[in-house]
Amino acid sequence: MLVSALALAQPAFAAPPQHWVASWGAAQQIPEEHNLLPQADMQDATLRQVVHLSVGGKTVRVRFSNAFGTQALTIDAAHVARSADKASAKIMPGTDRALTFDGRNTISIPPGADYLSDPVSLDTPALSNLTISIHLPQAPVGETGHPGSRATSYYVHGDHTADIDLPGAGHVDHWYQLTGVEVVAPPAAATVIAFGDSITDGHGATTNGDDRWPDNLAARLQASAKTRNMAVVNVGIGGNHLLTDGLGPNALARLDRDVFARPGARTIILLEAINDLGKLSREEVRTPEMHKTLIADLIAAYRQMILRAKAQGVKVIGCTITPYVGSDYYHPDAASEADRQALNAWIRTSGMFDTVVDFDKIIRDPAHPERMVPAYDSGDHLHPSAAGYKVMADAINLEVLR
């Protein structure tokens, strides 16, 4: 009798769960002092930030972050809208949607936490631009952000989250307290995570131009009907290291937040270690034993990342480290170049990665393989140019991402 009653209480059918994927994202860090937004500018302020999606959808939600805050972060109004102009604060009329949090307009995000908004209906085509506007009644205590946005954000005092434009607003090329945009997508959709340092973050790319190598990869995926369900999220951090905290937490420390917490993450494209290599002998000559130990430690860190990814059902594509001889920042010597060659040999031949993208091979100068092709060099001999980022994206076999 009890079984019959329970059976009658069940619905005749259940709707399939929505399949969420991360369409845009940014890795979070503590902004350096010169990249902080002054506390006075964050007090009773509307902050409007513009992001570039990869895959599109008709239902979206936004992930905010207080990962490095030391007190709760209060957001008492939040809106999402289609951007009318990537290089301005304007939104497309009729596209503004108020965001809620468990049905409420206000949310207090605990220190160290991220928080998802409730879903809203909004038609967001692939490769379109969104604005996310939040009102902060109080400035964050401990800012969380992403300095290398290569995108302009706007701020003005008062609650102007629903305004079509923000005339007279201050502007800065950083993101704050914002870590992801997720969309409902077809069941076959998945997200590729571009994980790395400033070369993935896009140093040398065009501000508001969306021409980093992960941006170019997203555009390539959208150009083919076979791969249009593949999103790309860039979690590069300028100055990042595998082994030590630099600008942002070390790669192993941020793997959970920046990869596994993103819905739909199925593949990592890993380009990381140039800062570890350069840092070793940046200020003084090191012994051969120290160089040997560094390579062993880097390989061990790679293995850890691969093992942890595979345990989550995420495949890892390894990328060879690009040339950087001539860099005034690291002024690499012969020993540094030998380290790069040794690490690249392991990446190519270890068999640990699901596949390998040989960025070194496609961007190096055949006449001077320790350097980049001049046309692919941004000018600092460390970071590629926009042309270099395009050729890097073009070198990735899309079939391995499906």
Side-chain angles (χ1 to χ4, degrees):
M1 189 69 178
L2 178 60
V3 173
S4 298
L6 287 173
L8 289 172
Q10 299 301 313
F13 62 89
Q18 292 178 317
H19 180 62
W20 289 94
V21 298
S23 177
W24 171 87
Q28 302 302 293
Q29 64 183 91
I30 301 172
E32 314 93 294
E33 186 173 353
H34 64 280
N35 288 326
L36 291 169
L37 201 56
Q39 290 280 290
D41 292 333
M42 295 278 254
Q43 188 78 16
D44 179 26
T46 292
L47 181 61
R48 178 166 292 176
Q49 305 178 81
V50 189
V51 303
H52 185 66
L53 299 187
S54 51
V55 298
K58 296 185 182 300
T59 304
V60 303
R61 64 188 182 189
V62 180
R63 185 184 295 263
F64 298 98
S65 183
N66 193 26
F68 298 101
T70 57
Q71 294 184 20
L73 172 74
T74 298
I75 298 172
D76 63 4
H79 285 241
V80 61
R82 294 274 304 279
S83 172
D85 175 10
K86 179 69 186 289
S88 83
K90 294 180 181 178
I91 66 173
M92 292 176 58
T95 67
D96 180 67
R97 304 287 188 273
L99 294 173
T100 58
F101 306 89
D102 200 27
R104 297 171 293 172
N105 295 326
T106 299
I107 187 62
S108 180
I109 305 176
D114 288 356
Y115 215 99
L116 279 171
S117 75
D118 298 332
V120 294
S121 295
L122 179 63
D123 188 6
T124 56
L127 306 180
S128 61
N129 300 314
L130 293 185
T131 66
I132 293 96
S133 303
I134 58 174
H135 180 252
L136 303 174
Q138 302 291 330
V141 181
E143 290 179 19
T144 293
H146 187 86
S149 66
R150 327 292 168 203
T152 305
S153 300
Y154 305 88
Y155 56 93
V156 63
H157 288 299
D159 182 357
H160 297 277
T161 50
D163 291 8
I164 293 291
D165 197 6
L166 302 178
H171 57 87
V172 63
D173 293 336
H174 310 305
W175 288 311
Y176 299 96
Q177 320 296 156
L178 178 65
T179 188
V181 175
E182 301 168 4
V183 302
V184 173
T191 299
V192 177
I193 306 292
F195 191 110
D197 46 48
S198 57
I199 294 175
T200 297
D201 201 22
H203 185 98
T206 309
T207 298
N208 298 316
D210 301 313
D211 54 8
R212 295 157 283 213
W213 72 257
D215 298 321
N216 290 318
L217 175 61
R220 286 189 65 210
L221 289 166
Q222 288 303 313
S224 170
K226 295 180 179 179
T227 54
R228 283 178 188 156
N229 282 333
M230 299 301 300
V232 179
V233 166
N234 184 341
V235 297
I237 292 180
N240 202 228
H241 295 74
L242 266 174
L243 301 177
T244 59
D245 291 348
L247 298 181
N250 67 79
L252 288 172
R254 65 190 186 92
L255 196 60
D256 290 330
R257 179 190 299 118
D258 288 342
V259 179
F260 305 141
R262 309 232 179 231
R266 293 293 177 269
T267 303
I268 303 170
I269 302 179
L270 179 61
L271 175 61
E272 184 94 64
I274 199 168
N275 292 311
D276 299 83
L277 294 172
K279 178 186 176 183
L280 179 68
S281 54
R282 179 171 181 251
E283 296 180 350
E284 60 184 355
V285 175
R286 299 292 191 171
T287 66
E289 290 75 19
M290 295 176 76
H291 284 273
K292 183 177 179 180
T293 297
L294 173 66
I295 298 306
D297 289 346
L298 290 172
I299 289 172
Y302 273 128
R303 289 184 185 275
Q304 283 291 307
M305 294 186 77
I306 294 166
L307 290 171
R308 288 172 60 189
K310 289 186 180 299
Q312 299 290 332
V314 177
K315 67 181 180 180
V316 184
I317 297 174
C319 302
T320 52
I321 310 304
T322 51
Y324 65 108
V325 164
S327 162
D328 288 335
Y329 184 71
Y330 284 131
H331 43 81
D333 56 16
S336 298
E337 175 61 10
D339 289 344
R340 187 180 74 89
Q341 294 291 350
L343 186 59
N344 280 348
W346 181 84
I347 292 170
R348 292 184 181 107
T349 64
S350 68
M352 287 290 294
F353 296 99
D354 290 275
T355 191
V356 171
V357 178
D358 202 340
F359 282 153
D360 169 47
K361 182 178 180 180
I362 63 102
I363 209 168
R364 71 191 181 207
D365 185 345
H368 304 281
E370 74 283 1
R371 296 174 180 264
M372 284 185 274
V373 172
Y376 300 156
D377 189 339
S378 67
D380 66 3
H381 313 303
L382 177 63
H383 301 95
S385 62
Y389 287 134
K390 183 178 186 306
V391 78
M392 288 170 69
D394 289 347
I396 298 171
N397 181 356
L398 301 187
E399 288 297 315
V400 305
L401 302 181
R402 292 180 60 193

